[in-house]
Amino acid sequence: MSAAGHDTDADRIAHPFYMDAEGINRPPGPEKHPLYSEFAASGTGVVPIVRTVNGRRIEARLVCRYADVREVLRRQDVFSRSAAADADDVDVSGTMLGMDGAEHARVRGIVRDAFSRAAVAALGETLEKTAADRLATMRAGRRSADLMADYAIPFALDTICDLLGLPGDDRAKFRGWGDMFLGTADLARDEAAASALQMGGYLWEQIEQRRAEPSGDLLSRIAVEGADESPDVQIKLALALVVGGWETAASSIARFVYVLRTHPYGDFETAWDYLLARPEEVDGAFTELERLYSTTAGDDMPRRVMADVELPSGVRLSEGDIVIPSHDAANRDPRVFDDPAEMNLRRDPNAHMSYGFGTHYCIGAPLGSLEIRIAIRALLRELPTLRLAVPSGDVRWKAGHVITTPEALPVEW
């Protein structure tokens, strides 16, 4: 096939696909843009795009086919994260997300064991209790609530902060800091930088305390086992775990409840009703929700091509190209998934790539996935009549943000 270069400006599509005239990404809801299905199914699967980062025009190629996306995510030697820092919406320099090779493996290794499947499975009873406590607080004397503020966020924030050992009274600070840090609009970058400084200063104090007196929590592990890393790396490792740990889980809980309560399924009025009738299918259902409704609001982080290479599809890329692998497109590749646009809660196999692939596979995936399942199982069991308290079209979705999440999710029961 022909090389993917020499695209004209007219060929390039503004990215993310929901970008408005003000340069702000505004997803209207949890549904992914129809272009993902189109690009995964037709053409070369490698699409010329343009994005604006720090006021600069960045030309890149969106990689959409499943096999191609997997190859980009797998080959750190050819597709470099660290060399593409200038094309990132969010500054992830000094974090695992912005590293390659031995550096990435070394920093990831500091906390890897705490997020193994065995370690996460051992947290099951604790997470069940945390969810039950938060649900009891939300329900106390009430028949309505904001599922985000009253349940999903405090549950997810409690979970990661308990692991890290952060004081309870300080946890609310991270919601405001995280909202600014994960903003993608250029106008928000000063706020994001200020947020990172505030979070960083706070976390460094906590790490220094643990270095003097380790207490067995995750911050102590970073302080002791990561002591040879620079302060910047230690701080950003803790920061990424806090922000990534609660924001993605909380938004998934709310987003999946929204989908289940607004989408018909088979002979049932909604997918929620289907799961009430078939609770044994919850795990498979959530895997399908992860495939179709991933947290990202704008694809995976960019990579720079370090040597001329040919993708499995036959498309050739040149050294220096910027590529953005799209797991949302890959998850809709008809070569891998039958009827990929259809929500099939019994889909099996379902090897989606919403948590990534290869060495950059999301370290918190086992924990986040368990949190989501426990939180929504509790709602199905304790509040089977839970429903939206407003028309579905009235739910507002956060704009200019890395994660697709409702600003609030009013519910009643």
Side-chain angles (χ1 to χ4, degrees):
M1 298 181 67
S2 63
H6 309 298
D7 309 299
T8 67
D9 284 350
D11 295 326
R12 295 189 178 275
I13 299 173
H15 182 269
F17 299 139
Y18 284 122
M19 192 73 71
D20 66 11
E22 297 176 348
I24 298 175
N25 187 29
R26 298 186 186 276
E31 301 290 343
K32 301 298 179 175
H33 199 285
L35 284 176
Y36 288 116
S37 293
E38 177 184 335
F39 293 151
S42 61
T44 66
V46 177
V47 181
I49 59 172
V50 62
R51 49 177 20 202
T52 301
V53 177
N54 279 330
R56 293 176 52 240
R57 174 187 170 88
I58 303 290
E59 295 182 350
R61 292 175 178 83
L62 190 70
V63 180
C64 298
R65 290 188 184 179
Y66 189 96
D68 287 354
V69 170
R70 184 170 61 180
E71 183 76 354
V72 171
L73 296 178
R74 183 179 72 87
R75 295 284 307 275
Q76 289 189 86
D77 58 326
V78 176
F79 301 99
S80 171
R81 279 287 305 116
S82 61
D86 62 331
D88 265 336
D89 280 331
V90 176
D91 180 10
V92 293
S93 58
T95 74
M96 288 186 292
L97 298 174
M99 296 174 177
D100 297 312
E103 182 185 32
H104 172 264
R106 187 185 69 245
V107 174
R108 186 183 180 102
I110 296 170
V111 295
R112 181 185 56 227
D113 291 348
F115 293 96
S116 69
R117 294 194 180 278
V120 168
L123 297 172
E125 289 187 11
T126 299
L127 295 180
E128 295 276 6
K129 184 180 185 306
T130 302
D133 289 345
R134 284 300 180 180
L135 187 53
T137 300
M138 184 182 83
R139 295 175 65 186
R142 305 167 64 183
R143 302 294 297 180
S144 64
D146 173 2
L147 194 72
M148 278 293 288
D150 297 327
Y151 182 60
I153 288 174
F155 168 66
L157 196 55
D158 279 348
T159 297
I160 191 61
C161 288
D162 284 346
L163 279 177
L164 286 159
L166 290 171
D169 293 342
D170 293 343
R171 298 178 181 186
K173 299 175 182 177
F174 284 96
R175 185 177 184 189
W177 286 339
D179 279 346
M180 290 187 288
F181 181 73
L182 292 173
T184 59
D186 284 339
L187 293 176
R189 291 187 182 276
D190 288 344
E191 289 184 340
S195 175
L197 283 174
Q198 292 171 23
M199 279 193 289
Y202 173 84
L203 288 169
W204 184 244
E205 290 179 4
Q206 295 290 322
I207 290 170
E208 289 282 74
Q209 290 174 16
R210 303 308 195 287
R211 206 177 335 268
E213 298 182 32
S215 56
D217 53 38
L218 200 49
L219 278 179
S220 296
R221 183 180 299 217
I222 293 171
V224 175
E225 297 185 22
D228 291 338
E229 301 292 340
S230 69
D232 184 59
V233 168
Q234 293 178 58
I235 291 168
K236 288 182 176 178
L237 178 55
L239 187 154
L241 294 175
V242 175
V243 176
W246 71 263
E247 181 83 18
T248 54
S251 64
S252 291
I253 292 165
R255 193 171 57 257
F256 290 175
V257 168
Y258 176 93
V259 169
L260 291 170
R261 258 309 183 191
T262 57
H263 286 56
Y265 191 76
D267 295 331
F268 291 83
E269 184 176 354
T270 68
W272 179 272
D273 297 318
Y274 175 84
L275 291 184
L276 287 175
R278 291 177 171 79
E280 72 279 3
E281 295 186 15
V282 162
D283 280 340
F286 288 162
T287 303
E288 178 70 342
L289 290 170
E290 288 168 345
R291 181 184 74 88
L292 281 176
Y293 303 102
S294 70
T295 60
T296 180
D299 293 307
D300 300 77
M301 293 180 172
R303 272 80 172 162
R304 189 176 296 278
V305 180
M306 305 306 290
D308 293 355
V309 65
E310 183 173 299
L311 295 174
S313 64
V315 171
R316 295 193 297 273
L317 299 170
S318 301
E319 180 180 355
D321 286 346
I322 293 292
V323 295
I324 299 176
S326 174
H327 66 259
D328 281 324
N331 287 344
R332 288 156 176 77
D333 189 336
R335 301 163 191 81
V336 179
F337 303 98
D338 293 334
D339 298 319
E342 177 187 354
M343 182 169 69
N344 178 0
L345 300 183
R346 304 179 69 179
R347 187 182 296 277
D348 185 32
N350 194 347
H352 68 71
M353 283 198 281
S354 293
Y355 290 115
F357 185 83
T359 54
H360 273 283
Y361 184 82
C362 176
I363 194 170
L367 176 61
S369 188
L370 182 61
E371 286 180 78
I372 295 161
R373 284 157 170 75
I374 285 174
I376 299 182
R377 272 202 192 102
L379 293 171
L380 286 163
R381 183 177 61 248
E382 302 297 332
L383 290 176
T385 61
L386 183 81
R387 58 194 177 274
L388 296 188
V390 298
S392 60
D394 288 351
V395 174
R396 296 174 56 110
W397 296 81
K398 196 169 291 185
H401 208 256
V402 170
I403 293 170
T404 304
T405 182
E407 295 179 0
L409 190 65
V411 295
E412 58 189 10
W413 54 88

